[in-house]
Amino acid sequence: MYQTVRKGDIFEIKIPEGWRHQTADSLLRTEWKLPKKLIHQWRMNQTVFVNGSPVNWHAPLAEGSVLQLPFFAAAEKGPVPYKRKVNILYEDDHLLVADKPADMKTHPNTENESDTLLNAVAYHLQESGESGFLRHVHRLDVGTSGVILFAKHHAAYAVLSRLLEEREIKRTYIAVVHGLITKNEGTINQPIGKDRHHPSRRRVSPSGQTALTHYKVLKRAVKQQLSLVQCQLDTGRTHQIRVHMASIGHPLAGDCLYGGKPITSHQALHAVSIEIPHPFTGEKLVCKAVPQEQIFRLLDKS
């Protein structure tokens, strides 16, 4: 773990032995790979310091020196707070992981919407005396519950988005699907594209984007003719698990859009955990959300 501390708008990090040959410029560009625009802004505003003095951008950083960065400087107005209690699984100065209920959108789709998880998290931060930048790093469909990662400043959003794209952030889902899957585990490697006959539906398509889903059967309920599966994604296509499971003849329970039966009010899909290599503390975070939907509990007891 790195030695770090927040002091007002400033993030301080003590340079570890492994970074002692880095310059401030190379650290921001190659270690964290921050956006060029953000680094340029800090350089022009002269808001980066080492041990309290303006940084020499191209001088090697000494082990034990303290790099000071304006991570938390007010940058913009945040989302409109919406008063609704949400389960916060983890939070620090840089990021937050929340457990999305199945009946809630991840973020607004119109200017007038505010009853979303993003707005509810903004209300949580407001109650803690925080405001300003807040952004979801990924999203879940309406009807899908579970873990969602939020960034609390621009640098965090940039790094976490990259880590997600590079598959360094791992997300695990569980789903209840129709039928008894015969294989204990497998991989579905089928491209996914838009369905030209339906505006919100996706389908397996040779001209679609590459999509890779790994699944493992956790339980088979013979009486109910349902299977509980764990899924991990190598890609993050819209409706990926829903499309892929339907493509092998096992649509999600409740997912009427893809052939599931309405035995529950929405698709039985839950993002159960997320693993995050924390870029600013060096920790490996693992956050888990217990599914609240009755269908998961009933299947587990069958």
Side-chain angles (χ1 to χ4, degrees):
M1 286 179 56
Y2 307 138
Q3 295 183 43
T4 68
V5 66
R6 176 177 181 173
K7 293 184 178 179
D9 291 341
I10 303 301
F11 170 67
E12 294 190 348
I13 183 166
K14 192 173 184 179
I15 301 301
E17 191 275 337
W19 289 357
R20 60 191 171 95
H21 296 304
Q22 293 262 29
T23 66
D25 186 73
S26 66
L27 175 63
L28 301 188
R29 291 181 185 274
T30 64
E31 183 71 28
W32 288 331
K33 300 179 183 176
L34 294 178
K36 293 179 181 178
K37 183 178 179 180
L38 183 61
I39 298 172
H40 178 73
Q41 178 184 334
W42 291 348
R43 291 184 73 153
M44 293 299 99
N45 294 340
Q46 299 182 358
T47 50
V48 177
F49 296 83
V50 174
N51 297 328
S53 300
V55 67
N56 181 338
W57 285 90
H58 300 291
L61 295 166
E63 180 184 353
S65 61
V66 177
L67 181 64
Q68 298 152 318
L69 300 159
F71 276 3
F72 312 107
E76 61 186 59
K77 186 177 180 181
V80 175
Y82 174 72
K83 187 177 181 179
R84 175 168 170 175
K85 180 70 175 176
V86 290
N87 184 20
I88 305 300
L89 303 172
Y90 176 84
E91 182 180 0
D92 62 22
D93 290 327
H94 310 280
L95 58 89
L96 180 150
V97 180
D99 182 3
K100 185 180 90 66
D103 64 347
M104 199 175 206
K105 289 184 178 181
T106 299
H107 59 85
N109 292 321
T110 67
E111 289 185 5
N112 297 325
E113 267 189 306
S114 63
D115 55 342
T116 75
L117 183 63
L118 178 67
N119 303 99
V121 170
Y123 182 83
H124 161 79
L125 294 179
Q126 178 180 268
E127 286 204 309
S128 304
E130 295 187 55
S131 62
F133 185 95
L134 177 68
R135 196 168 297 174
H136 55 284
V137 178
H138 59 100
R139 63 181 294 276
L140 294 175
D141 299 331
V142 176
T144 300
S145 57
V147 294
I148 293 189
L149 173 62
F150 292 86
K152 295 172 68 175
H153 56 79
H154 278 287
Y157 180 73
V159 178
L160 293 171
S161 296
R162 175 180 58 80
L163 291 175
L164 185 71
E165 185 177 343
E166 294 175 353
R167 304 172 192 170
E168 295 296 323
I169 293 175
K170 309 292 185 184
R171 290 177 288 165
T172 301
Y173 299 78
I174 56 172
V176 177
V177 303
H178 290 291
L180 304 178
I181 300 178
T182 54
K183 295 172 63 176
N184 289 331
E185 57 185 59
T187 296
I188 305 171
N189 185 0
Q190 294 285 353
I192 292 176
K194 292 183 177 181
D195 187 333
R196 62 183 180 180
H197 302 295
H198 195 291
S200 60
R201 190 163 54 197
R202 300 295 190 272
R203 67 184 181 91
V204 167
S205 169
S207 61
Q209 294 177 296
T210 301
L212 200 64
T213 301
H214 308 284
Y215 70 86
K216 179 189 297 183
V217 177
L218 302 178
K219 187 175 183 65
R220 297 178 180 90
V222 177
K223 182 179 179 181
Q224 296 136 306
Q225 288 292 291
L226 298 170
S227 299
L228 178 66
V229 296
Q230 174 182 295
C231 298
Q232 289 189 312
L233 310 182
D234 278 1
T235 51
R237 308 305 175 205
T238 300
H239 298 179
Q240 181 170 323
I241 293 173
R242 299 165 66 184
V243 173
H244 271 174
M245 296 311 298
S247 76
I248 62 170
H250 297 282
L252 271 60
D255 192 1
C256 299
L257 185 62
Y258 293 104
K261 299 174 184 177
I263 61 174
T264 183
S265 60
H266 49 78
Q267 66 269 14
L269 181 60
H270 177 75
V272 70
S273 69
I274 189 168
E275 297 180 21
I276 308 162
H278 200 304
F280 305 122
T281 68
E283 299 173 271
K284 181 179 179 180
L285 303 177
V286 180
C287 300
K288 297 182 179 181
V290 177
Q292 300 300 313
E293 296 300 308
Q294 187 70 14
I295 189 168
F296 292 103
R297 297 197 293 274
L298 288 175
L299 185 61
D300 190 51
K301 295 176 182 176
S302 64

